[in-house]
Amino acid sequence: MTASIAIREHAETQFAEELSELKKHDTRARPPNWELSPWAVITYLMGGKLDSGLTISAKYIGNQRLMEIAVATLATDRALLLYGVPGTAKSWVSEHLAAAISGDSTLLIQGTAGTSEEQLRYGWNYAQLLAHGPSEQALVPSPLMNAMRTGKTARVEELTRIPADVQDTLITILSEKSLPIPELNSEVQARRGFNVIATANNRDKGVNELSSALKRRFNTVVLPVPASEDEEVSIVVKRVAEMGRALQLPAEPPALKEVRRLVQIFRELRSGRTADEKTQVKSPTSTLSTAEAISVINSGMALAGHFGDGVMRPHDLASGLLGAVVKDPIQDNIVWNEYLETVVKERSDWKDLYRACHEQQT
């Protein structure tokens, strides 16, 4: 019987060879309980070439200084908050930082409106609790508690989605580096190497502001949208290739021309003006992030591979493009149709895409 393969492996598994080689060649000082030195963590994130000849792939394409600030923060006793609009690779960076620093990116708490204090701190096995009362055996540790006990990095995704009173559970943990367990008259003290990476954005609905006390416990690094079109195209091409292999899509990698057109459309609609800055356009309610661009390309490749000849064409791209832009069926439809008629239609080399988008709506 063939063993099943995960759709998406954890970073420390997917890039195990790179992490192992970095560890072998890493002679620089490492903070307590870190798998790699800060220099090697940056090399893992930003890419580079080792003396052994192995090329380390770039996990983050962008401003290296931001990553250096993030890593330097985690080397101190201060927690890290990765902040930015949706789709700016906050979760991606968080996962890879944890994988490089602790060799484990799975100590994760997913923040939602329903996240409880117990999910951040600890819970109880109620069968054990009823049978024997409060005890270590009845305690169910959270990923955060496990990170404290092992000196690893814990991750809290979408911190601002968690109710404000539950968020503040983190204050004692981050300031005192301990987690009281009053039921057992004891506490868990964090081992060296423990830290927290949280992510947050202020664009989605259901956002809860962080208290000033909690904000002081974090060093905030704002992850921006890609600075240039070329940078964003590079990110999309790289991630599409990786995901295409993981999903085993039966299609050729998309032509650079199609990726560049999609990225240009997203950037123009996001900024409210065309690339040449000659025409003002309206922006839709959707965020049109780099992550969404990757999703549109993957969708087009799936259509081309399963229902076409394996080559992604404008009509394959148009199918996902409409769904990405038009989230509000009334407001966004107006914005998209206006953009099609005033921008896409007027570009002589975009006639094929204009026809495909127009057909998609009829």
Side-chain angles (χ1 to χ4, degrees), residues 82-325:
L82 298 175
Y83 195 74
V85 299
T88 47
K90 299 182 296 297
S91 298
W92 179 254
V93 170
S94 167
E95 179 185 358
H96 284 284
L97 282 171
I101 291 169
S102 299
D104 185 357
S105 64
T106 65
L107 297 171
L108 171 68
I109 297 166
Q110 178 61 56
T112 69
T115 299
S116 65
E117 193 173 320
E118 289 75 22
Q119 288 171 280
L120 283 178
R121 299 170 75 243
Y122 55 85
W124 297 98
N125 179 321
Y126 286 101
Q128 288 272 2
L129 191 64
L130 291 171
H132 307 293
S135 65
E136 276 289 341
Q137 290 69 36
L139 190 72
V140 179
S142 69
L144 194 62
M145 179 184 277
N146 283 332
M148 295 176 74
R149 284 174 165 171
T150 56
K152 292 186 176 182
T153 303
R155 300 166 56 210
V156 181
E157 287 291 304
E158 302 289 357
L159 179 60
T160 49
R161 286 192 174 277
I162 298 173
D165 56 333
V166 178
Q167 291 175 8
D168 284 345
T169 302
L170 290 170
I171 292 175
T172 300
I173 295 170
L174 297 181
S175 58
E176 304 297 327
K177 301 297 185 287
S178 67
L179 175 54
I181 310 174
E183 297 90 343
L184 301 181
N185 195 27
S186 66
E187 66 176 5
V188 172
Q189 289 189 311
R191 287 188 59 198
R192 286 175 177 244
F194 165 73
N195 216 326
V196 173
I197 305 172
T199 67
N201 76 74
N202 64 350
R203 286 289 299 272
D204 290 345
K205 294 178 182 177
V207 167
N208 300 297
E209 284 294 322
L210 303 182
S211 67
S212 57
L214 186 55
K215 282 180 182 176
R216 289 197 301 272
R217 269 69 182 183
F218 284 100
N219 188 32
T220 300
V221 172
V222 179
L223 297 186
V225 295
S228 68
E229 184 179 305
D230 287 344
E231 187 177 295
E232 192 160 3
V233 168
S234 297
I235 294 169
V236 174
V237 168
K238 181 177 185 299
R239 290 292 294 132
V240 163
E242 291 170 351
M243 294 177 74
R245 288 193 294 271
L247 297 172
Q248 297 182 345
L249 294 176
E252 295 179 11
L256 186 60
K257 168 189 169 185
E258 300 300 343
V259 176
R260 189 169 291 280
R261 286 203 292 196
L262 177 66
V263 168
Q264 186 174 341
I265 289 169
F266 272 33
R267 293 181 71 85
E268 289 178 337
L269 287 170
R270 277 200 311 251
S271 66
R273 62 183 183 275
T274 54
D276 59 11
E277 300 192 346
K278 291 180 180 179
T279 306
Q280 295 292 315
V281 299
K282 293 174 184 173
S283 295
T285 59
S286 49
T287 56
L288 297 181
S289 65
T290 308
E292 286 175 294
I294 294 165
S295 178
V296 170
I297 295 290
N298 280 334
S299 175
M301 287 175 64
L303 284 168
H306 293 295
F307 305 108
D309 61 2
V311 177
M312 193 183 79
R313 305 188 190 282
H315 68 278
D316 300 311
L317 183 66
S319 301
L321 182 53
L322 181 65
V325 176

